[in-house]
Amino acid sequence: MFGFMRAAPAADYSDIMPRIAAGEITLVDVREPDELSITGRAKDAINIPLMRLQMMADPRHPDCHPGLAPEKPVALYCASGARSAQGKMLLERLGYSEVMNLGGLHDWARAGGSLER
């Protein structure tokens, strides 16, 4: 019933992280700003809270984030992987061709990803 809340499958960080570093994949943190102030975020991630993702990822919306485009791959993360799973489904409905759920910030850090505060 609540399958979207299951933990994300392990992402292949060895493939994804170099693509993020090269600018081939846009990294998006879908947590709320107050969460970022407590834990920091992945280096170079843009913050778009899940509740705003619909409008900020829709190219037809005036508030669409300039770093997002349906033809460019996107990797999402949150605290546990649940919100990023919801964000993945939302972006796919908007026509994004390649969307990855990286799970939680702890998964990013465990894979060797840099954090910034």
Side-chain angles (χ1 to χ4, degrees):
M1 179 171 164
F2 293 103
F4 68 89
M5 296 184 74
R6 284 190 213 129
D12 183 0
Y13 281 94
S14 62
D15 175 54
I16 294 169
M17 291 176 86
R19 292 179 65 200
I20 291 170
E24 297 172 17
I25 298 174
T26 302
L27 181 60
V28 179
D29 185 325
V30 296
R31 298 176 301 150
E32 294 296 320
D34 60 331
E35 292 176 87
L36 276 68
S37 67
I38 295 168
T39 62
R41 66 177 166 186
K43 186 176 184 311
D44 299 325
I46 58 175
N47 176 233
I48 303 175
L50 181 61
M51 296 304 291
R52 299 199 62 219
L53 188 61
Q54 172 90 31
M55 70 180 134
M56 294 188 74
D58 187 342
R60 301 166 297 178
H61 196 282
D63 290 336
C64 185
H65 192 284
L68 294 175
E71 63 278 354
K72 184 174 181 185
V74 178
L76 307 169
Y77 73 90
C78 60
S80 68
R83 283 176 285 179
S84 49
Q86 292 175 44
K88 180 181 187 302
M89 290 187 297
L90 187 152
L91 292 181
E92 289 171 343
R93 281 194 310 268
L94 286 172
Y96 281 70
S97 58
E98 186 178 357
V99 186
M100 295 151 269
N101 177 4
L102 299 182
L105 181 64
H106 63 282
D107 296 313
W108 172 263
R110 191 173 337 153
S114 298
L115 300 177
E116 60 187 16
R117 292 205 178 251

